[in-house]
Each structure stands twice: as C-alpha cells, then as structure tokens.
Amino acid sequence: MATFARQTFSAKAYAAFRPSYPPSLFRTVLNYHKLPQPGGTLLDLGCGHGLIARSLRPHFKSVIAIDPSAGMIAQAQQTTTDPEITFRQGGAEDLSFLSDGAVDMAVAGQAAHWFDYDKVWPNLARVVRPGGTVAFWGYKDNVLLGAEQATKIMEQFVYGFGEVAPGIEGMGPYWEQPGRNILRDLLRSVQPPDTDWTEITRLEHEPGEDGTEEARWLTKKMKLGEVEGYLKTFSCYNGWKEAYPEIKSRADGGDGDILDTMWDRMVDAVPEWKAMGDRWREAEVVNDWGTYILMARRR
C-alpha cells in the first residue's frame, strides 16, 4: 500500500488521530481463539504503529508485528518498550522468515483489504498451527449521528469525482483501489479457503444502523477538531495533496484546500456548529463507523 510511503504521510499523525480499538473487539477475537492461558505467538500483519501488538501482548508469550512501511515500524518501535514484541518491515505476502506452525494466532487490523490473497492464504496455512486462528477486522465511512447533512457533504468531498466545489476536484480518484472498495464492502469478497480453514465467522455493521456490541464495535464521541485530524489521515487526502501541491491549507498559510472548503460547508449545514463561530472545532458529535470482523480456525 503506497500511501504510507508518501512524503505527505505522517505516521505520527496517524497514531494520534486514528480511532483506537475498544476492549469489546479484543474480547470477541480472544473468545473465538479460546486461549486457555497466556502463551504462544501472535502475528500482527500490517501492524501500523503497534497498537494491536501492545494491546494483545498480555495474552501471548511473544508478538511478531510486521508492516510494509518503514515509517510505521519506526513509530511502533519508538512507542513500544516490551522486549517480547518484535517489529520488522515486511508484508503479509512474504512470511518466509517464519517456520511451519510457528504462529498461534494471526491478526490484521485495518490492513486486510490490501492483501494479495493468492499469496497470503497459503502463507497463513503454513505458519498458523492446526487449531490456531486468524482474525481480520476493519472500519469504514464514519457517519456523524444527528448531522445527516454534514455527513452527506463529507461523503461528497471524500468520494466525489469531478468538481465538488468551484475549481476543486473531489478526493474519489485518489483512493487506492481495489483496496478501498474491498473495505467499503466489509471484506465480503475475501473467503478463507475451506481446505485449510473451518469455523469461519463474520460480524458486520453498516454505519448508522443498529447492531450488537460485538458487531458495532467502533462508535465514539469526538470533537469536530478531532474528526478533522482523523480525516487528514485519509490516503485519498494525501493523494489529493500530492496532485495539487499549489493549493495550501489554511493551517499551512494558504487560502484553504479541499478539507477547509469541505468543513466550511459542513459547519454551515449544522446551525449549532455555525453558531459557535471560530470555536466550531470544540463541538462534539458521535461518530459511527461501519465495521467487520472475519475469523477462521486452521484445520
């Protein structure tokens, strides 16, 4: 996934503004794994800045965490002190550094939509021990509950093609595909091969709909300023900035870029936010993301 190698990408900002995973999510995958006591090896694929590795480490003897981005690995190493967590640069498509059956559980958070499954499934079938498990999860397309018009404007700018405002092209063309569409479809196109995997389980939630705690695991009240910071971590925004380097954001001393224009319209659409004037970033809103969990057990 090329986004994290771009000069416009900030691993530090990604770590700061991306939502964290709730305890309920980890309970779900650990209950599926049925770990009798802490032990064994966890493999974290697409580990990013190490959030999952650190959170699940108490349940395993050791953790091996890999990511194709050198910047992400550096960020993970800087924020992790546990000697039993090993970070290395690499992708899920090459697990040749692991011996057969070396892994008790393999996980991937917000990364599985980038995998080449012609390579990944055979790799996992080799390194995950019989009875071991895989668990992939991810999230998409937060909606702002109670602010439907603002959500509609946000989606128009984030996924729109052509002009979304005078002289401003939408960010739709700058999502890396097919990964984004795979994620937006909640990984339904990814099927663990029946020859190697059993007890295949899926939990799904579409944003804005009702659901159980297990399926609807990412809902969070945030200040609009935090939502703004989160949107700046989008790969499509980093791609858009590379395409239009002459258009500077207000934060960078310019007249405003696509996100500045988008937020102007979103704030205008919600009277309570508009009434706050320059303090609109302090307004709070509940975000509800679409989510999935895919789990399978090695035969």
Side-chain angles (χ1 to χ4, degrees):
M1 205 275 234
T3 294
F4 300 144
R6 287 173 170 156
Q7 291 185 353
T8 53
F9 176 76
S10 167
K12 186 175 182 180
Y14 190 96
F17 289 107
R18 283 281 165 150
S20 58
Y21 299 120
S24 63
L25 168 64
F26 295 128
R27 283 197 301 269
T28 296
V29 298
L30 290 171
N31 287 341
Y32 177 88
H33 184 63
K34 297 177 181 174
L35 199 69
Q37 58 186 4
T41 298
L42 174 75
L43 175 63
D44 183 3
L45 302 169
C47 66
H49 53 91
L51 173 65
I52 296 168
R54 291 188 294 271
S55 297
L56 290 181
R57 162 65 180 93
H59 303 279
F60 294 88
K61 184 178 180 180
S62 62
V63 177
I64 301 168
I66 66 174
D67 196 282
S69 166
M72 284 292 201
I73 292 298
Q75 180 73 19
Q77 291 172 331
Q78 291 169 11
T79 53
T80 304
T81 58
D82 193 325
E84 298 302 326
I85 302 177
T86 301
F87 293 101
R88 60 181 290 157
Q89 188 176 358
E93 291 77 15
D94 181 7
L95 302 180
S96 57
F97 64 94
L98 291 169
S99 59
D100 294 359
V103 172
D104 293 82
M105 185 180 199
V107 299
Q110 197 66 356
H113 51 291
W114 299 116
F115 295 168
D116 178 351
Y117 284 96
D118 288 340
K119 297 177 181 178
V120 169
W121 285 129
N123 283 345
L124 290 176
R126 182 183 67 80
V127 303
V128 176
R129 65 166 176 81
T133 61
V134 297
F136 300 157
W137 61 84
Y139 54 88
K140 64 153 186 177
D141 300 348
N142 58 312
V143 301
L144 312 177
L145 298 183
E148 288 74 16
Q149 185 60 31
T151 297
K152 184 177 179 180
I153 293 168
M154 180 171 65
E155 178 151 337
Q156 176 191 5
F157 276 72
V158 168
Y159 287 108
F161 285 72
E163 279 197 347
V164 293
I168 297 179
E169 181 189 20
M171 291 181 276
Y174 301 99
W175 287 108
E176 292 188 55
Q177 299 292 1
R180 187 63 190 182
N181 285 343
I182 293 172
L183 176 60
R184 294 194 83 194
D185 194 43
L186 299 178
L187 220 73
R188 296 181 185 111
S189 62
V190 175
Q191 180 64 34
D194 292 336
T195 53
D196 297 317
W197 305 93
T198 186
E199 298 180 29
I200 297 168
T201 302
R202 292 180 185 270
L203 299 172
E204 300 176 357
H205 167 66
E206 289 289 351
E209 297 183 0
D210 294 332
T212 64
E213 182 186 38
E214 275 194 328
R216 187 187 182 187
W217 48 262
L218 192 54
T219 300
K220 183 181 180 182
K221 180 181 286 187
M222 301 169 67
K223 292 184 177 180
L224 293 184
E226 294 172 319
V227 180
E228 181 185 32
Y230 165 64
L231 294 178
K232 288 181 179 179
T233 70
F234 278 19
S235 61
C236 65
Y237 177 57
N238 285 276
W240 188 94
K241 287 197 297 181
E242 285 196 350
Y244 296 99
E246 74 281 4
I247 303 179
K248 302 295 184 183
S249 68
R250 293 173 192 149
D252 291 331
D255 294 328
D257 65 5
I258 187 169
L259 286 189
D260 291 318
T261 302
M262 183 191 78
W263 278 105
D264 288 345
R265 294 192 177 188
M266 289 172 64
V267 170
D268 283 345
V270 182
E272 294 84 354
W273 300 352
K274 187 174 182 179
M276 296 179 71
D278 292 341
R279 295 175 51 251
W280 62 266
R281 289 179 177 85
E282 299 175 20
E284 292 186 326
V285 64
V286 175
N287 291 254
D288 182 40
W289 282 265
T291 51
Y292 76 85
I293 307 175
L294 169 62
M295 299 174 286
R297 189 174 303 278
R298 183 72 171 94
R299 289 187 183 276

